[in-house]
Amino acid sequence: MMLRIKRVPTVVSNYQKDEGEDAARRGGGCGRNCLQKCCIPGAKLPLYTFKRAEEIPGDKCVLEHDDNQAPVAFLDSLLLGQWEDRMQRGLFRYDVTACETKVIPGRCGFMAQLNEGRHLKKRPTEFRVDKVLQPFDGNKFNFTKVGQEEVLFQFDASEDGEVHFFPDAPVDADSSPSVVAINVSPIEYGHVLLIPRILECLPQRIDRESFLLALYMAIEAGNPYFRLGYNSLGAFATINHLHFQAYYLAVPFPIEKAPTRKVTTLGDGVKISELFDYPVRGLVFEGGNTLQDLSNAVSDACIFLQDNNIPHNVLIADCGKRIFLLPQQALGEVSSELLDTQVNPAVWEISGHMVLKRKKDYEEASEENAWRLLAEVSLSEERFEEVKALIFEACSYTLSEKEDEHLTQGAGDDKPPLEGTGSINKGRNCNMVSGTQECLVLQ
Amino acid sequence: MEPPQLGLIEQSFNSRYSNWAREALDELPDNFTITDPCISGHPIVFASRGFLKMSGYSRDQVVGRNGRMFQGPNTCRRSVMEIREAIREERGVEISLLNYRKDGTPFWMLFRMAPVFGKDEGRVIHFVAVQVPILRRRQRRRNGEGLCGEILSNSCRREVCSSSSVELAGVSAADSDCRALEIEEKCEASDTEKQLAATAISNVLSVLTHYSESTGRLVCEKRFGPSLVSSSLHISLGRIKQSFVLVDPHLPDIPIVYASDAFLRMTGYARNEVLGQNCRFLTGVDTDPSALHQIKQSIQAQQACSVRILHYRKDKSSFWNLLHISPVRNATGKIAYFVGVQIEEGSVDRHGLSPEMRQLSVVGSIKVAVRSSSMSYSIH
């Protein structure tokens, strides 16, 4: 009998109800001060507009906001202040700073938190996890249903190339605003949701424009400890309405410390490496001649994965200078022991930050257990090689002679040489594409 | 970001080490810098002659600046992160790093850093960083499991294929054809270079230890006794430009354990006059006792509160303080400090944020800093 990882949804908004209950209410005007047609007219929210960077983010971040010695950037300040304000107004389900947290001893530095209040107490609903792309369903909970008090500010590109802040800007439905809202069940201090073009009700899938917005947010915050994450459907996303998550934790994440091996450089200067000596296999994107180049490389890779039904997670780290892409295995057999901990290996867990519901699990948390849990969702080595090759094709790279040498010489001592890789890259055929779907359907 | 006042920089050095220290350090042939993590921006307070020559900058261009000024586009982000974490954890680190000279040319060097502890404070008061240029006689290909073995110039397949002959010769770090090489490839230091770094660190630390004796403010290489507000927390708090203090409710009379520069400017006191004191020194004849009572009650109830209270500066002038107080928990989940954020009534924020919002953002930054900095410590 095959067990499945049961997704345990968390409540992200105080207005989140059971699907059924919600549908029944949809009829009348809500009076809840939400973000739908009933309440939007006349609504006002703070608005932060960022400057579009023409050059690579590296220069800006290195010189100004590189590490924790630089002064707190304004967006950082704004977000933290708004978040603290909502804390003091009692909008969160619990005080996350009252949850004990620690670094698990070991060389990786996994982090564990004891949080008994995070998950729903009732029986979790099953969410269809075998399809990465699913159409938006207005009957289910989505972010237009959150109360406006849960929204911290609108976040969009500036018209005139300068950073602006308007404490009280009207919400203009026609301009398709993007917003930052609180997560009422936070994993850490400052846990927010970035919802691109919220009123368009986009389903949970990456597109170039939205990903670029997320990258801009990482850059604007200018804080290497403010990271953004994305979960595709099937990789433990809980809501099918396009959103990124973010929060503050001023310690390095294990995934950021993991060694990497350079794999290739794309024509537009984007450097792609792969993780090794880490429980989950994944790619790291850096560089790029422009910010758009970096953003598009990652977006295109995600689009490829979602079009081919491969669940995946994305972590934007280091002020947007390093982006991790982790494809996930379709849910396979998981030991019941791990299931009971109800840890869903989504982007934060994969990055090395685990939230545990039971004191026993917290006290017994070990690097070994954490590693084992995460390894469950990693693609196998073979599968990862296949997917990696397909991603490169999707990103339309040009393989120079130099990189060819890398691929053939870069193998470790205990692995078979990768000399086949070069030819696989050059001679892709349709069989590989059909092969991507076969292992993802749940038995 | 404005560089800190030169006065602070001078004082960082002069208050610790006697005048002869600079001369003694200037006599060392090594390349090194000394930084002060307690000054906002973690600036360089001393740079050796060798360092200035290596980097191509003058002393004025370096003192008061942060070490990131020597980094550039091809500097490995992971390495920068490792250094950052070593600073936060108050320990040493040794790592190869790509830096850039004033003329923009990159060069590899072995970066070795060690903390200097104040004997009385028990926390880090300076970091010493030594830089040994790595000569590119050989290149090691960095693969997953570590070094796969030295690739000598003539036998490296890549170099044979490459038409560049630069790699085949003994290239020194000063070679301007560095760009032709794969400078983002990690460059490992030789044993000799590592030895040089170890010796240099030792030299500098000896000088500092020796010359701290005459000032009475001894320094040492190892931590001496527990510290209340760690160096890493100091650094995080230093990023916050507003006026605030941290007080410790577990100590008798709830003393101030941290005060921001802005607080000192607002009140006119020096840091050593406020650390260890209860905040009541800010009150005076016309301060409303009920405001004080409200503060006391909130602390006892472990809750946040905002009061408008009349406070007095050192020069006896008074001002209306829009004071916000909030409990701050550490990684254990328990309250470690209370933060008090002061705003002088009538002051304006250039971004248009209300005083309340400004205060809350300070509280938020502090909560993140305190929680995160206590995660790695074994305080459980």
Side-chain angles (χ1 to χ4, degrees):
Chain A
M1 183 190 80
M2 181 156 77
L3 298 174
R4 299 192 287 193
I5 292 177
K6 282 199 172 63
R7 200 190 50 81
V8 184
T10 57
V11 170
V12 300
S13 164
N14 290 314
Y15 296 94
Q16 204 168 345
K17 304 267 194 275
D18 258 355
E19 276 82 292
E21 202 179 318
D22 210 43
R25 293 176 63 138
R26 264 187 92 233
C30 68
R32 293 185 306 187
N33 201 31
C34 68
L35 291 167
Q36 298 188 317
K37 290 196 190 66
C38 41
C39 304
I40 275 250
K44 282 189 176 175
L45 289 170
L47 167 64
Y48 180 99
T49 61
F50 57 87
K51 184 166 96 169
R52 271 188 250 260
E54 299 311 320
E55 288 123 8
I56 43 174
D59 286 4
K60 175 177 176 175
C61 217
V62 164
L63 295 174
E64 290 172 28
H65 306 304
D66 182 18
D67 53 15
N68 55 4
Q69 276 86 46
V72 176
F74 178 63
L75 179 65
D76 209 28
S77 215
L78 173 69
L79 202 153
L80 287 166
Q82 294 280 350
W83 212 88
E84 177 66 19
D85 170 71
R86 303 308 190 272
M87 268 253 350
Q88 295 195 8
R89 279 158 59 174
L91 293 181
F92 294 98
R93 290 175 59 236
Y94 50 82
D95 178 357
V96 67
T97 66
C99 298
E100 204 185 322
T101 183
K102 66 182 178 187
V103 174
I104 298 172
R107 64 191 176 89
C108 295
F110 288 114
M111 294 154 309
Q113 181 192 112
L114 175 56
N115 188 331
E116 286 144 327
R118 182 150 204 267
H119 296 113
L120 288 175
K121 290 182 173 37
K122 62 179 188 178
R123 191 179 66 81
T125 40
E126 287 283 348
F127 187 93
R128 186 170 187 186
V129 291
D130 62 342
K131 286 192 70 182
V132 175
L133 294 178
Q134 296 179 35
F136 182 85
D137 179 354
N139 287 325
K140 292 202 158 82
F141 174 78
N142 67 74
F143 296 113
T144 61
K145 301 184 182 182
V146 310
Q148 286 173 29
E149 68 277 9
E150 293 179 13
V151 180
L152 301 185
F153 52 89
Q154 305 173 66
F155 183 72
D156 279 304
S158 158
E159 306 285 311
D160 66 359
E162 290 301 319
V163 172
H164 292 292
F165 174 66
F166 307 95
D168 222 8
V171 178
D172 177 14
D174 295 331
S175 67
S176 191
S178 304
V179 300
V180 175
I182 56 172
N183 180 334
V184 307
S185 305
I187 289 181
E188 264 305 328
Y189 195 89
H191 195 170
V192 293
L193 308 162
L194 169 66
I195 305 151
R197 296 173 281 148
I198 182 173
L199 303 176
E200 290 182 41
C201 291
L202 306 167
Q204 185 76 343
R205 60 184 296 172
I206 295 281
D207 64 85
R208 280 185 164 196
E209 194 185 324
S210 303
F211 192 81
L212 185 58
L213 186 74
L215 202 49
Y216 269 119
M217 183 158 199
I219 294 168
E220 283 301 297
N223 185 335
Y225 302 116
F226 179 73
R227 305 164 180 91
L228 277 91
Y230 171 85
N231 300 316
S232 77
L233 298 180
F236 306 101
T238 56
I239 292 161
N240 189 14
H241 183 180
L242 180 59
H243 65 284
F244 294 83
Q245 300 181 43
Y247 61 81
Y248 292 87
L249 191 55
V251 290
F253 275 20
I255 199 175
E256 292 171 324
K257 299 197 291 193
T260 59
R261 183 169 30 213
K262 182 174 163 185
V263 182
T264 189
T265 303
L266 302 182
D268 53 14
V270 175
K271 189 177 95 173
I272 306 181
S273 314
E274 63 182 352
L275 294 168
F276 72 92
D277 197 20
Y278 194 72
V280 186
R281 290 176 182 84
L283 298 174
V284 189
F285 292 71
E286 297 170 274
N289 297 328
T290 67
L291 182 62
Q292 281 74 9
D293 289 332
L294 177 61
S295 183
N296 290 343
V298 185
S299 307
D300 291 350
C302 293
I303 290 166
F304 164 78
L305 292 174
Q306 66 202 17
D307 287 347
N308 286 278
N309 212 27
I310 301 173
H312 52 282
N313 310 95
V314 184
L315 177 75
I316 301 176
D318 200 5
C319 302
K321 291 208 284 294
R322 293 180 87 204
I323 305 170
F324 297 81
L325 172 62
L326 303 126
Q328 279 204 25
Q329 190 76 280
L331 301 182
E333 301 200 15
V334 183
S335 82
S336 60
E337 205 182 296
L338 285 176
L339 262 190
D340 290 341
T341 62
Q342 291 185 336
V343 177
N344 296 314
V347 64
W348 307 118
E349 290 77 8
I350 290 182
S351 301
H353 188 197
M354 325 265 170
V355 175
L356 301 167
K357 185 184 151 83
R358 302 184 307 183
K359 198 163 170 70
K360 172 177 172 306
D361 299 325
Y362 179 76
E363 259 143 32
E364 292 169 12
S366 70
E367 181 159 290
E368 207 191 296
N369 285 345
W371 188 288
R372 257 195 316 151
L373 173 78
L374 296 182
E376 289 284 345
V377 296
S378 175
L379 291 187
S380 69
E381 196 181 323
E382 225 172 62
R383 183 72 186 120
F384 182 68
E385 289 304 314
E386 282 176 13
V387 171
K388 193 173 69 175
L390 293 170
I391 285 177
F392 291 160
E393 228 182 70
C395 295
S396 48
Y397 66 93
T398 49
L399 239 171
S400 71
E401 187 180 38
K402 201 187 283 186
E403 275 87 39
D404 223 3
E405 308 291 315
H406 267 286
L407 293 171
T408 54
Q409 282 192 355
D413 294 330
D414 57 348
K415 294 193 189 100
L418 293 171
E419 62 247 332
T421 312
S423 49
I424 288 179
N425 285 335
K426 289 179 178 132
R428 184 116 312 288
N429 58 39
C430 291
N431 290 342
M432 294 302 278
V433 174
S434 60
T436 61
Q437 288 160 347
E438 127 232 326
C439 63
L440 295 171
V441 177
L442 293 174
Q443 306 301 321
Chain B
M1 181 188 94
E2 330 82 67
Q5 300 147 18
L6 271 179
L8 277 176
I9 309 286
E10 293 285 312
Q11 204 197 12
S12 167
F13 200 83
N14 297 343
S15 65
R16 288 280 166 190
Y17 317 113
S18 76
N19 295 336
W20 304 114
R22 282 187 200 272
E23 279 194 29
L25 291 174
D26 271 336
E27 273 167 30
L28 294 173
D30 315 292
N31 310 332
F32 62 92
T33 51
I34 300 174
T35 60
D36 188 339
C38 298
I39 298 180
S40 165
H42 194 180
I44 293 170
V45 298
F46 184 92
S48 76
R49 288 180 298 112
F51 178 86
L52 297 174
K53 186 163 173 224
M54 175 187 76
S55 64
Y57 288 93
S58 71
R59 189 153 270 163
D60 293 334
Q61 294 170 328
V62 162
V63 170
R65 305 279 305 276
N66 180 280
R68 81 178 77 91
M69 68 179 278
F70 308 107
Q71 296 161 18
N74 281 318
T75 304
C76 173
R77 301 300 310 158
R78 252 192 87 232
S79 302
V80 169
M81 188 185 77
E82 280 193 52
I83 296 170
R84 180 168 69 218
E85 292 312 313
I87 292 171
R88 283 167 46 81
E89 291 172 21
E90 302 179 300
R91 55 173 169 81
V93 67
E94 182 177 75
I95 194 168
S96 307
L97 194 69
L98 188 77
N99 263 189
Y100 290 74
R101 295 188 198 85
K102 183 175 176 181
D103 63 8
T105 55
F107 66 99
W108 279 98
M109 52 92 169
L110 178 66
F111 178 88
R112 180 166 170 155
M113 186 182 76
V116 178
F117 294 92
K119 248 192 175 147
D120 297 327
E121 301 91 328
R123 59 173 171 78
V124 173
I125 49 151
H126 287 131
F127 279 98
V128 175
V130 154
Q131 301 83 11
V132 178
I134 297 176
L135 300 187
R136 295 174 72 75
R137 287 180 305 276
R138 9 172 208 184
Q139 271 182 36
R140 288 169 186 261
R141 177 74 52 76
R142 181 171 175 250
N143 79 349
E145 272 73 29
L147 305 169
C148 65
E150 203 178 310
I151 299 168
L152 293 174
S153 29
N154 289 329
S155 59
C156 175
R157 185 174 157 192
R158 177 169 65 82
E159 284 156 359
V160 166
C161 290
S162 153
S163 56
S164 165
S165 59
V166 171
E167 296 156 85
L168 299 177
V171 178
S172 78
D175 196 293
S176 60
D177 278 338
C178 266
R179 248 185 311 257
L181 306 171
E182 274 198 41
I183 50 180
E184 61 266 30
E185 285 288 346
K186 189 94 169 162
C187 205
E188 286 299 325
S190 66
D191 287 338
T192 317
E193 284 151 355
K194 289 184 184 176
Q195 190 53 48
L196 279 174
T199 312
I201 279 268
S202 181
N203 289 344
V204 178
L205 289 175
S206 299
V207 168
L208 293 181
T209 318
H210 177 72
Y211 288 95
S212 71
E213 285 166 10
S214 52
T215 62
R217 303 184 71 193
L218 295 162
V219 302
C220 52
E221 291 167 44
K222 298 260 187 276
R223 187 194 306 279
F224 201 76
S227 53
L228 290 170
V229 178
S230 70
S231 168
S232 77
L233 184 52
H234 254 274
I235 294 173
S236 308
L237 296 176
R239 291 181 73 211
I240 304 168
K241 296 304 166 198
Q242 286 81 4
S243 167
F244 70 93
V245 294
L246 283 188
V247 302
D248 191 335
H250 307 109
L251 295 177
D253 207 25
I254 311 184
I256 293 175
V257 293
Y258 182 93
S260 72
D261 292 343
F263 174 81
L264 302 177
R265 277 196 300 273
M266 182 189 278
T267 58
Y269 289 96
R271 186 162 273 114
N272 61 353
E273 291 175 309
V274 311
L275 287 182
Q277 305 298 319
N278 177 283
C279 290
R280 72 173 69 83
F281 67 85
L282 292 169
T283 61
V285 287
D286 289 332
T287 303
D288 186 353
S290 65
L292 286 174
H293 184 66
Q294 196 183 341
I295 294 170
K296 193 169 167 202
Q297 275 203 312
S298 295
I299 293 183
Q300 273 173 0
Q302 299 188 338
Q303 281 171 1
C305 79
S306 286
V307 295
R308 179 174 173 266
I309 187 170
L310 192 69
H311 270 160
Y312 293 78
R313 292 181 248 266
K314 184 174 180 181
D315 67 0
K316 311 278 191 258
S317 62
S318 66
F319 63 99
W320 280 105
N321 188 354
L322 301 173
L323 178 66
H324 180 86
I325 292 173
S326 183
V328 177
R329 296 168 187 272
N330 64 17
T332 62
K334 304 191 176 64
I335 294 179
Y337 309 107
F338 275 82
V339 59
V341 187
Q342 302 81 17
I343 289 195
E344 204 168 328
E345 194 173 59
S347 62
V348 180
D349 174 71
R350 63 190 173 105
H351 290 291
L353 283 180
S354 68
E356 294 76 30
M357 205 43 67
R358 276 184 273 157
Q359 286 174 317
L360 293 177
S361 72
V362 173
V363 172
S365 298
I366 292 171
K367 285 187 173 181
V368 173
V370 170
R371 181 168 165 85
S372 307
S373 74
S374 55
M375 270 176 81
S376 314
Y377 280 61
S378 327
I379 53 175
H380 300 272

